[in-house]
Amino acid sequence: MPSSQTNPLLATLNTDQLTAVTVEGSALVLAGAGSGKTRVLTTRIAWLIQQGMVSPLGLLAVTFTNKAAKEMLTRLTGLLPINTRGMWVGTFHGLCNRLLRTHHREAGLPQLFTILDSSDQLSAVKRCLKALNVDTEKYDPRKVQSFINQNKEAGVRADKVDAWDPYTRRLAEYYAAYDAQCQREGAVDFAELLLRAYELLSRNALLREHYQDRFRHILVDEFQDTSRLQYLWLRLLAGPGTALFAVGDDDQSIYAFRGANVANMSLFMEELGLAAPIKLTRNYRSLSTILDAANAVIAHNRERLGKDLWTDAGQGEPIRHFQAYDDGEEARFVVEEIQARKAEGEAFQDMAVLYRSNAQSRALEHALFSAAIPYRVHGGLRFFERAEIKHALAYLRLAANPEDDNAFLRVVNFPPRGIGARSLESVDGDARAAGVSLWAAACQGGKKFAPFVQLIDGLRSQLAGLALVEQVEHVVARSGLLEHYQAEKDGQDRLDNLGELANAAAAFAGESDDQSLEAFLAHAALEAGEHEAAQGQDAVQMMSVHAAKGLEFHSVFITGLEEGLFPHENALSEDDGLEEERRLMYVAITRARRRLTLTHAQSRMLHGQVRYGMPSRFLEEIPEGLVRSLSNRVSRPQAAWREPAAHYVPPAPARDEARPFPVGARVRHPKYGEGVVGGYQGQGPDAEVRVDFAKVGRKVFILDYARLEGV
């Protein structure tokens, strides 16, 4: 191994980093969180060039974001006086685009082919279906788009689709027609970029051998996030004499929903005959208590290559754990902690509040807004600024006042109902000429607007006599928004947010004397105002755990640690679902440098109803010696401040023989173990009880046969 003492390029590397940078041939580097992954990757490139093992144009480096590629090139020029212009450093899509532009004839594409983003692709799918006279009620364009992309990302063309039923055969036909349309128009979607580049190298031996001979070293960042097709593309590019250098962390593989295949890491070692990965385990970010917690949680995953992070930076203070009575109290606790740390001199921007689902941000945002604490939602919009919430509020505004032109314009054709720009221009002209609202003109606007007018009129009459929460739920359900987002591949986040809107209404009703729809809409408008921190302003950072990957903060709050929320109930029924949720928890914990706080609530509003939950299993997986429990100290004078303290337990309602266990009670089942009663449905012998179990999620039993015992 070269000595770091004689080469300034290697002087700052620790022993494991030095091994990774100077290894001969192919290698898999298992780089733990905060272990200097980017430094190793860029230093490896610089060292290869410095030692004359490869020219700058003779290597290829793949990243997952343009930002990461730019940072790599910037760091590289800081290490060596080289010209990076012309180097093949970029994202998978960027490099495939470059390859296809260079060899467009061989790829069967025009030189100036167009790249379709997601919205452009959806428009192209809609045009294709319209040309085929397809019933879009039965074959939703978004589902067709998702079907096309999933097959392309798996490397499957339309004629190779496993069409095992008539519905799938139809989808395969539309896939083929869409591909033919794109070919005629010289258009390429994102999934096509990679698939077309892979097919080009697969069938063209001369071209493949040219690039295999050129790229003697291929380096891959975030290898745990590669899909099956991306892995195959890399293996095609790597010739017999090519060194493949992959850096990643199987414990941070959290993008299965985007096609990431963590099994690629083990496959890589097997196919290249590597005995073991090089492990980077020294962490330069977090204190020891935080790392010990992360190690303990991730150790429960069976399918991993295995490593433990360590540091010599010191133990640090215990992890703080707070159990709130409800989600409102949880949010107030987080705000109070933020205020205390600010008073100690910690900047807002060094504090991050993390949550598993974006819908959870609403209660937290409300608490921060009420306390006049500046905040910024990272990687997304504030709750009341999200498109689905604006759509729902527009329907509510029209139900309250149909003369609202802005609300009319937002939803008159959303979800799409065949009202085009020309029809809107016509009704706008009629409204201006008559000096009336768009609604009034639409009422006289003929059959194009008749279904929308009937919908709004129906909503207005149906809301009379309903409580505020019921009004919100009714409008969301009847407007067509739920069905629209259910058809989207990634629509669950939007559905969760729409459910959270009912929670916002319930919270408002509990705090306000005026519980009218108009008062709630005014409240929503105020919270949707310009309250987010300005660019450059010191502000608390709020984000989902997925958005937090790659970032680090002095203090981190991980909220909503309840079974069904984190880990998410949807993941518990999927292969590798629980293990990926645990990797998400590992990522969340390792974002903290100095202070980590974990919170959960005994009850939480869900779709306007109170849901009782059990603490997340991830809390139990952290050794007790690392955690300091806090008592309820927010908004409940009967729960005095003391540490450690018993948690506040809500008083149990009187026993009902027809419903033997109160909602929120802990029960035991002989097969499923301990759980919490979530609610009842029905009466008499067919009455059902719903129980949320720690290990298997939600189960529903006929009450007479439930076999439940109180704990």
Side-chain angles (χ1 to χ4, degrees), residues 378-390:
H378 182 92
L381 296 169
R382 291 171 295 156
F383 182 78
F384 284 107
E385 289 297 310
R386 293 166 190 166
E388 59 276 15
I389 298 302
K390 284 190 167 187

Side-chain angles (χ1 to χ4, degrees), residues 402-403 408 427 437-446 449-450 453-454 457:
E403 307 294 317
F408 178 94
V427 82
S437 67
L438 292 172
W439 167 260
C443 288
Q444 308 299 322
F449 290 91
V453 169
Q454 291 169 6
D457 276 339

Side-chain angles (χ1 to χ4, degrees), residues 101 108-116 120-129 131 177-189 196:
R101 297 281 181 195
L109 291 169
Q111 185 175 9
L112 300 177
F113 63 81
T114 303
I115 298 177
L116 304 177
D120 292 334
Q121 185 191 24
L122 180 59
S123 297
V125 169
K126 288 178 178 178
R127 285 193 292 107
C128 178
L129 296 179
Y178 164 81
D179 262 0
Q181 174 182 289
C182 288
Q183 188 65 33
R184 287 194 307 272
E185 297 174 357
V188 175
D189 56 54
R196 185 75 66 115

Side-chain angles (χ1 to χ4, degrees), residues 627-662:
V627 180
R628 175 191 184 192
S629 293
L630 310 179
S631 68
N632 293 53
R633 57 171 181 156
V634 185
S635 74
R636 292 193 176 275
Q638 69 268 40
W641 170 242
R642 57 192 185 275
E643 300 181 75
H647 299 310
Y648 173 82
V649 178
R655 184 177 179 86
D656 181 349
E657 292 304 322
R659 297 185 173 187
F661 303 104

Side-chain angles (χ1 to χ4, degrees), residues 382 385 524-532:
R382 291 171 295 156
E385 289 297 310
L526 287 172
E527 290 219 4
E530 295 300 321
H531 302 298
E532 190 174 42

